[in-house]
Structures are given as structure tokens and as C-alpha cells.
Amino acid sequence: MRICETIEDMRAACHAARSRGQRLGFVPTMGALHDGHLSLVRAARASCEVVAVSIFVNPAQFGPNEDLAKYPRDFERDRDLLEKAGVELLFAPSVEEMYPAGAGTWVTVEELSSKLDGRSRPGHFRGVTTVVAKLFHIVEPSAAFFGQKDAAQVAIIRRMVRDLKFPVEIVACPIVREADGLAMSSRNAYLDPVQRQHALVLHRALVRVQKSWEAGEHDAGQLAAAGREEVAREKSVRLDYFEIVDADSLDPVDDVAKGALGAVAAWLGETRLIDNILLPRLAGKG
């Protein structure tokens, strides 16, 4: 595995792969890797001849009172996991490399960036789309792989790619869960044993919504109310939002017959977790 720390070096390595006619798959990460990240690597490996991964804790997507300083970092462990997974290229730039002194250019997807997590974390998605746009320019991948757990992020990146005509396929991969249903997340490491147990309410709420949907309830308001009611049973968990929205526009929907995204975010102490479920389009619905 080749490790590149500069933009120039990473560009050269990616150009060499593309010049050989190889399909280049890309997985952007902030490190602290778990099997959710590795599932993205496996998906890239299955459809691409060369797989590139970035590890960069992006300060631009953290708010002033968020967890940038304590975000988990273990580069040696991450490097070993990626090498064992067969990754050919690892991009590990410094903050100064990605944001040179005096940089003042941002990439913002208007409207979408203020919904769901964007409403709770002002400026977050501006930081995400700016760094992802930079990474796409550096790597120029054939396909980029993201986790469905970050559903709002996926929708916003798809819109950015469409609007800016990036020649890259965006692949959303299924959520990877622990055996008890908790969605894998680097922030799970912040939870103490009691919080870890209480965090399961997010998955229970989504399962309740899915079962209601399977039983024939298609009114989005009723489904969201059921999800919120389930979260409220866990008194130590502070709900940020539980919404039923269109998976592309992130706008609320009234009826889920044409498909929808059920999304939840909640706080356990100082740790904020997210999760979601996709409700598929019903047969015969346009």
C-alpha cells in the first residue's frame, strides 16, 4: 500500500492508475476505522481494480463546540486494517495541505445543507462538501463509496456531484450494525457501558417504524410519532430529531407510499448519534 501525504503525490499515484485504464474506487474517511468503513472498502474492491482511501479529520465540518480535539485517532491501526483489506493507495494529508493559509473558498449545497443534521450543526455540511470536492479533484475516482448511515450526507454529495458535473459514480452502501443492532460509528467509542445500552433505542425506534410500515401504516406523521414515542421511553436519551423525509430532497413527506427515509439523531450525554432506515417504494406507486 502506497501512503501519500501530499496532494501532488496522491494526484500522481491516482493518475498512474487511471492511465493504465484501471477503474479507481475511493473511500473518504476520518479514520478511527470500524467494519462499516471496511464494508465500503470491500464494495470498492468488488467493482474497482484500484482502491484509494483517505484519512483526514476535517476541521471544517466541526462546529466550535464539537468534538474535533477528542475525535478518535489511531493512524497505525487504521493503516494496518487498510493494508490487510488490500487498499492500494492511502491519502493522509495534514490540515495545512488541505487548507493552505489564506484559503477562503467553500462549496455549499444550498437548502439541503440546512436540513436534518445541517439544521442541528450549522456549517457542518459546508465543511463536508468542501473537503469532498477537494478530494474528488485530487483523486478523480471512477466511483466513491459512502455509508448509508450518513443519509443526509449522501443526498447532499449526490446533489453536489450532479450540480458540479463531477464524473464520479456515488455508491451508498448499507448500514453495518453491531450484533445488537447499534449502527457502527467511530463515536460509539465515547459511550460508557450504560450509554451504550441506552443507545439501542435508536435502532428500536426505527424497527418500530418499519414494523408499522409493514403492517400498512403509510402516514408519515403517524410513523414519525411512533419513532419519537419509542425514543422518549429511554429517559436518558435526548432526541434531536426523528423525521420521515424524501431520501433525495430531505423534505418532509406526508405519505411514504413512494418511498421515504426515516432518520433519527439523539444525544447520549455529550455524544450525538445518528441512524436511519429506508422505506422502499410500494409496488405500483409512481
Side-chain angles (χ1 to χ4, degrees):
M1 183 173 68
R2 178 173 173 179
I3 301 175
C4 304
E5 296 182 350
T6 68
I7 291 171
E8 182 181 8
D9 194 20
M10 187 62 177
R11 275 194 171 134
C14 294
H15 175 75
R18 292 193 307 274
S19 67
R20 295 190 295 267
Q22 293 176 308
R23 180 173 164 85
L24 176 59
F26 177 49
V27 181
T29 83
M30 293 205 302
L33 303 182
H34 50 69
D35 199 53
H37 298 107
L38 296 179
S39 74
L40 305 182
V41 172
R42 291 191 290 269
R45 176 90 283 150
S47 65
C48 301
E49 287 87 6
V50 176
V51 177
V53 174
S54 63
I55 293 178
F56 179 65
V57 181
N58 177 32
Q61 67 191 68
F62 288 80
N65 298 313
E66 294 186 340
D67 57 345
L68 174 60
K70 69 172 186 175
Y71 194 83
R73 296 165 171 87
D74 191 341
F75 181 78
E76 288 74 20
R77 173 184 172 275
D78 292 344
R79 177 198 61 205
D80 291 347
L81 286 171
L82 294 174
E83 194 155 25
K84 289 175 182 175
V87 170
E88 284 85 3
L89 299 173
L90 172 57
F91 184 41
S94 65
V95 173
E96 294 73 23
E97 185 72 8
M98 293 299 289
Y99 295 101
T105 300
W106 298 93
V107 177
T108 304
V109 177
E110 299 289 350
E111 296 185 9
L112 264 68
S113 293
S114 62
K115 298 172 182 176
L116 296 184
D117 301 294
R119 186 171 59 245
S120 304
R121 304 177 67 189
H124 168 68
F125 284 127
R126 182 182 78 159
V128 170
T129 45
T130 298
V131 80
V132 171
K134 286 173 179 270
L135 291 167
F136 284 176
H137 277 303
I138 294 163
V139 178
E140 295 186 50
S142 307
F145 297 78
F146 294 86
Q148 177 60 35
K149 182 175 73 70
D150 298 298
Q153 174 178 280
V154 170
I156 289 167
I157 289 172
R158 285 193 194 280
R159 182 70 61 85
M160 179 189 76
V161 164
R162 187 199 73 179
D163 291 352
L164 298 184
K165 306 300 183 184
F166 278 104
V168 56
E169 176 190 359
I170 301 302
V171 181
C173 299
I175 297 173
V176 177
R177 300 183 180 278
E178 304 284 357
D180 57 10
L182 184 67
M184 288 190 177
S185 169
S186 299
R187 288 187 168 91
N188 290 349
Y190 298 157
L191 303 175
D192 65 33
V194 173
Q195 291 172 332
R196 171 66 178 73
Q197 191 63 30
H198 291 170
L200 296 177
V201 74
L202 274 69
H203 185 235
R204 289 201 303 273
L206 293 170
V207 169
R208 178 172 171 181
V209 167
Q210 183 176 28
K211 288 182 176 178
S212 295
W213 175 83
E214 290 171 348
E217 178 60 77
H218 299 145
D219 180 87
Q222 292 298 319
L223 292 171
R228 294 183 192 116
E229 179 182 303
E230 190 65 33
V231 175
R233 293 181 179 180
E234 197 64 77
K235 301 302 181 184
S236 67
V237 175
R238 179 163 54 92
L239 184 66
D240 183 349
Y241 64 76
F242 196 112
E243 295 189 26
I244 308 294
V245 300
D246 180 87
D248 295 319
S249 69
L250 306 182
D251 286 329
V253 297
D254 294 324
D255 188 289
V256 300
K258 294 182 180 180
L261 172 76
V264 60
W267 291 89
L268 292 97
E270 297 182 355
T271 303
R272 183 177 179 277
L273 298 180
I274 60 175
D275 202 348
N276 65 81
I277 188 172
L278 284 169
L279 301 175
R281 182 187 302 269
L282 295 177
K285 296 295 181 179

